[in-house]
Amino acid sequence: MATLCLCSSSSVKPTLIHSFPANANLSSQQLLLSNSPRKRALFNNLPVNYVPESLKWRTRVSFFPFFSTKSKDTESLKLELLEAIAPLDRGAEATPEDQKLVDQIASKLEAANKVKEPLKSSLLNGKWELLYTTSQSILQTKRPKFLRANGKIYQAINADTLRAQNIETWPFFNQATADLVPLNARRVAVKFDSFKIASVIPIKSRGSGRGQLEITYLDEELRISRGNQGNLFILRMVDPSYRVPN
């Protein structure tokens, strides 16, 4: 869930928990970056080195370097971040050196964040897929791989109702829902109130599932968050129309 990913500190510890719009005003270099085949490949689970022959020459030449903009820098950083995390199995295969590199790139993106009050932004609404985390409570790398969450992990957020839902797929299909209590325009306290085992068996929380989360980068397709225990979460938007069920 970035990464925002919401992690509970309770005894019930479910291991649970963004497509660029066409823009006629973008410069040719920005269009090249936002429509990068390498980025599309990374977001659509294609090989990272997928570049059509017709586009290869454009990736090797910069005709107007003096037109470089902050937007271009941000897009380049996002591509660099996606490439860095692509082979890391959501963070489970990351070495300390990998973690350091990912954190450095994420920090540069966070410094370029244009959404200063993410909790008031409609960009937050929808279903996000977790791409990378340092949270061991999610990765569970000490367990055999067949006992980990091997399918995709999602997190849905409703900024208007301050509700969140963590969704784990294969093989456990667990779910958790939580209230979000704003602490400022970027940070929330997370209070889990219900869990479902295998998406069916309900378990009510007794209020012990709590944590805090700060949204440090947000745009139409990418979200970076950091938890109160220092964990990093990187997520991509997959369904902006999705809403957390009541």
Side-chain angles (χ1 to χ4, degrees):
M1 47 357 47
T3 15
L4 173 58
C5 267
L6 309 180
C7 297
S8 166
S9 60
S10 68
S11 57
V12 181
K13 291 188 177 179
T15 56
L16 312 173
I17 303 279
H18 108 80
S19 70
F20 286 90
N23 189 331
N25 295 320
L26 291 176
S27 69
S28 59
Q29 284 195 324
Q30 289 172 311
L31 283 171
L32 176 58
L33 283 165
S34 62
N35 292 306
S36 163
R38 295 163 68 201
K39 178 182 285 186
R40 291 200 304 270
L42 287 162
F43 271 114
N44 294 296
N45 299 319
L46 292 172
V48 173
N49 61 355
Y50 171 76
V51 181
E53 289 295 330
S54 61
L55 295 180
K56 284 184 178 179
W57 66 274
R58 286 194 283 177
T59 66
R60 299 192 187 109
V61 181
S62 177
F63 292 105
F64 306 105
F66 47 90
F67 288 133
S68 176
T69 65
K70 287 187 177 180
S71 176
K72 174 186 174 181
D73 292 342
T74 299
E75 298 307 318
S76 299
L77 283 170
K78 286 165 66 173
L79 179 56
E80 185 179 356
L81 182 63
L82 291 171
E83 290 179 331
I85 65 177
L88 301 181
D89 188 19
R90 222 162 27 211
E93 300 294 331
T95 65
E97 291 76 16
D98 292 327
Q99 291 180 346
K100 183 177 180 180
L101 175 61
V102 172
D103 193 274
Q104 288 174 342
I105 304 170
S107 295
K108 292 177 182 179
L109 266 174
E110 290 166 332
N113 183 33
K114 295 181 180 180
V115 182
K116 304 303 182 183
E117 298 184 329
L119 292 176
K120 298 180 181 180
S121 175
S122 61
L123 295 176
L124 194 57
N125 293 326
K127 181 187 285 188
W128 302 77
E129 179 189 348
L130 178 67
L131 298 180
Y132 173 88
T133 185
T134 57
S135 172
Q136 279 300 310
S137 66
I138 297 171
L139 296 174
Q140 295 289 341
T141 55
K142 294 183 179 179
R143 293 182 180 180
K145 193 163 185 176
F146 71 93
L147 292 178
R148 306 177 203 167
N150 292 303
K152 293 182 177 181
I153 295 174
Y154 300 102
Q155 181 184 78
I157 294 181
N158 284 16
D160 49 352
T161 61
L162 293 174
R163 291 286 287 168
Q165 178 187 30
N166 292 343
I167 305 167
E168 183 183 86
T169 59
W170 177 261
F172 305 113
F173 299 96
N174 296 327
Q175 296 182 16
T177 55
D179 281 327
L180 305 178
V181 181
L183 301 177
N184 56 40
R186 290 161 41 113
R187 180 181 289 271
V188 294
V190 183
K191 299 182 179 180
F192 288 92
D193 53 32
S194 66
F195 302 93
K196 282 187 179 181
I197 306 300
S199 300
V200 175
I201 305 170
I203 299 175
K204 286 292 182 181
S205 169
R206 296 182 179 179
S208 59
R210 298 172 183 267
Q212 290 186 17
L213 194 75
E214 182 174 7
I215 303 164
T216 54
Y217 180 87
L218 177 67
D219 65 19
E220 294 87 350
E221 63 177 2
L222 193 70
R223 175 159 54 93
I224 302 174
S225 300
R226 294 183 184 267
N228 57 301
Q229 296 182 348
N231 287 311
L232 174 65
F233 306 94
I234 300 172
L235 305 93
R236 71 178 179 112
M237 175 60 75
V238 293
D239 185 358
S241 67
Y242 184 91
R243 293 297 180 267
V244 179
N246 294 326

